Amino acid sequence: MGTFKNPIIPGFYPDPSICRVNQDYYLVTSTFEYFPGVPIFHSTDLVNWTQIGHVLDRPSQLNLDGTPNSRGIYAPTIRYHNGLFYLITTFVESQYGERRNFYVTSEDPAGPWSEPVWLKGAPGIDPSLFFDDDNRVYYTGNRVPPTGQTHAKHMEIWLQELDVKKGKLIGEPVGIWDGALKVAHAQEAPHLYKKDGYYYLIIAEGGTGFTHAVTVARSRVITGPYEANPRNPILTHRHLGKDATITNVGHGDLVDTQEGDWWMVCLGSRPYGGMFRNLGRETFLAPVRFEDDWPVVCPDTGRIEEEMLGPNLPRQKVISPPTRDEFDQSELGMEWNFIRTPRERFYSLEEKPGYLRLKLRAETLSDCGTPSFVGRRQQHLSFNASTKLTFSPKEHGETAGLTLFHSQTHHYRFEVICVQEQPMVRVVKREGATDEVVGEEPISETPIELKVDARLQELTFLYRNRFGNWQVVSEKQDGRLLSTDRAGGFVGTYIGLYATSNGKESTAYADFNWFDYKGE
């Protein structure tokens, strides 16, 4: 059996959902404004996970044009029934715009997945599907209670039958529960299960911040009434201090193993340097035991630990991802993402073999557009990331480099740029609507290597040419501006490569020889 380390999927992988097919487990998470959408992972032991694809990997499935930071794809749920995988999720168009729910299907979890089936008359976010023993299918989501909200963000969980073949809700919607605590808010992420004659409804309450929690109710009839567990919440860390190593635990999904044991995947964060969560919300694993026909999560300690006793399943071989990408494959690895849906092929692995070529586009990292950006998630509290860049800016504003990116308003750019005909390497900090140059050095030529060294929240930016030693461009920069607690939103930090012509049309490009990421 042995122990395992939490989080099981580190970095910005929030809102996990899980299903089992025989001895295989599949897990998905939210992606918000990043493309491709919804990574899907496979495991046979619930501890070691390998990404096998993305569910929404075609522009026809996912139009993120103009989608603001921390909007887009929310809280997917994955289920399997009669040879077919179902993935249902919410597309949030804007901060105050429409929330639209849809599902896609596939016989193979690695894809390809179908085009979206958009559901009419399905308000709210974080939907889920439940397949009952009689083959009837039910949709659950959240909504404003028909009788009105009694307090801020008061929501109700509702249920309606779904004809999955026609892609239509049928019958009448039924409100089934508005949470365990009448003063709680943001009742969302409903998941239904059936065990020993009971329907169990697990939801998230308290918002996705420090007061996040998982609660449960049960009923003998799917439409209710539902009885709240007197021991609610069944999982939370909100009673712990803000110096806890794991915080804002919630948004759970249950799975039973082929051995008859139960486990929960959920989200949580690892703050550092204070209550700052640069890694975003990550995926954790917790044991579950049923007592008196109620689920008990983490029955020994009542909390998720960094190291816990693992599932009674044969451990699969751990395949550690490479720390360096030499860009010598025909396609980018699954860890790489774009900001919003790419409408043109602005990158190439073929034009210069062994290099990632990024074409300069007018869009910048400070726009709500689709910049020439390829990035991967930060997954460790301390790390260093480096790349080798060949780039000769000719026109004013032509820029390429390395970025630590949270949003268009909160990021660092470590870039090569031409200033008054002098090539420069500089560090730009953006917090809010303005840029601040926090370090700058003249250079003679490229290629040069750029490196960011992150010791917890202290950032150092260094460069070297092919003959020299590492030279500091900027040091003691504060990484906290990359945290949701300072920047807002729901995402985590990305480490990316980018190129821009800053609003002008350009035929220039930048070549990246390799990218290296080492976490500690």
Side-chain angles (χ1 to χ4, degrees), residues 52 67 81-83 85 114 118 128 150 227 258 292 302-303 342 436 441 452 461 488 508 516:
I52 59 174
T67 300
H81 183 69
N82 286 347
F85 289 88
S114 72
W118 297 94
S128 182
T150 60
E227 165 197 9
Q258 60 268 34
D292 302 322
R303 56 194 260 180
E436 178 186 358
E441 293 288 338
V452 179
F461 298 83
D516 191 271

Side-chain angles (χ1 to χ4, degrees), residues 114-314:
S114 72
E115 292 298 304
V117 178
W118 297 94
L119 294 173
K120 296 181 179 180
I125 61 172
D126 301 1
S128 182
L129 295 180
F130 175 72
F131 296 84
D132 211 343
D133 298 336
D134 58 4
N135 288 321
R136 296 173 74 178
V137 186
Y138 294 89
Y139 173 103
T140 55
N142 76 345
R143 66 181 181 183
V144 173
T147 56
Q149 293 178 312
T150 60
H151 53 277
K153 298 183 180 180
H154 172 209
M155 303 296 286
E156 175 189 69
I157 305 303
W158 64 282
L159 173 143
Q160 190 171 357
E161 190 172 354
L162 172 67
D163 186 329
V164 293
K165 293 183 179 179
K166 294 182 178 179
K168 295 181 179 180
L169 293 167
I170 57 177
E172 295 298 321
V174 179
I176 56 176
W177 199 37
D178 66 350
L181 304 173
K182 297 305 178 184
V183 295
H185 66 280
Q187 295 88 343
E188 59 194 21
H191 292 136
L192 272 174
Y193 317 86
K194 193 173 186 180
K195 182 181 185 298
D196 299 331
Y198 278 110
Y199 293 93
Y200 291 93
L201 175 63
I202 284 181
I203 71 169
E205 292 191 47
T208 195
F210 192 78
T211 57
H212 210 19
V214 179
T215 60
V216 63
R218 71 185 183 189
S219 175
R220 293 287 187 181
V221 181
I222 194 169
T223 54
Y226 279 80
E227 165 197 9
N229 186 349
R231 296 163 71 174
N232 276 322
I234 58 172
L235 180 64
T236 189
H237 280 199
R238 64 188 179 196
H239 60 294
L240 305 178
K242 289 192 175 181
D243 58 351
T245 55
I246 302 170
T247 64
N248 60 273
V249 169
H251 198 111
D253 196 10
L254 292 175
V255 67
D256 62 331
T257 73
Q258 60 268 34
E259 302 297 329
D261 300 319
W262 287 82
W263 290 81
M264 176 183 285
V265 293
C266 63
L267 66 79
S269 291
R270 292 178 290 164
Y272 62 103
M275 189 60 189
F276 297 97
R277 297 166 291 172
N278 298 49
L279 293 161
R281 298 167 301 152
E282 308 174 275
T283 292
F284 291 77
L285 180 67
V288 178
R289 184 170 67 220
F290 276 79
E291 295 179 353
D292 302 322
D293 294 318
W294 288 111
V296 179
V297 186
C298 302
D300 293 334
T301 65
R303 56 194 260 180
I304 291 178
E305 309 286 354
E306 291 182 282
E307 185 169 357
M308 305 184 76
L309 193 63
N312 184 25
L313 297 170

Side-chain angles (χ1 to χ4, degrees), residues 8-9 17-28 39-53 78 85 108-110 316-317 319 334:
I8 54 171
I9 305 181
S17 177
I18 191 170
C19 73
R20 176 175 66 87
V21 182
N22 300 319
Q23 298 179 347
D24 294 290
Y25 299 84
Y26 300 96
L27 185 149
V28 294
I40 182 163
F41 297 86
H42 169 260
S43 176
T44 58
D45 62 10
L46 289 175
V47 172
N48 300 293
W49 295 87
T50 301
Q51 188 173 349
I52 59 174
I78 187 169
F85 289 88
D108 183 348
Q316 67 185 61
K317 183 179 179 180
I319 302 176
M334 294 180 188

Side-chain angles (χ1 to χ4, degrees), residues 396-461:
H396 177 74
E398 292 185 343
T399 306
L402 184 67
T403 179
L404 301 183
F405 186 85
H406 179 276
S407 66
Q408 59 264 30
T409 60
H410 287 74
H411 59 256
Y412 282 97
R413 305 194 306 269
F414 191 16
E415 57 192 25
V416 172
I417 188 170
C418 191
V419 179
Q420 296 180 348
E421 299 184 355
Q422 170 63 56
M424 308 285 289
V425 59
R426 70 182 186 183
V427 179
V428 181
K429 179 176 75 172
R430 185 174 182 86
E431 185 169 16
T434 59
D435 287 345
E436 178 186 358
V437 177
V438 295
E440 191 172 60
E441 293 288 338
I443 58 174
S444 58
E445 62 179 354
T446 63
I448 65 169
E449 295 178 31
L450 306 175
K451 181 168 72 172
V452 179
D453 185 71
R455 302 295 94 190
L456 298 177
Q457 295 290 6
E458 185 172 289
L459 307 176
T460 302
F461 298 83

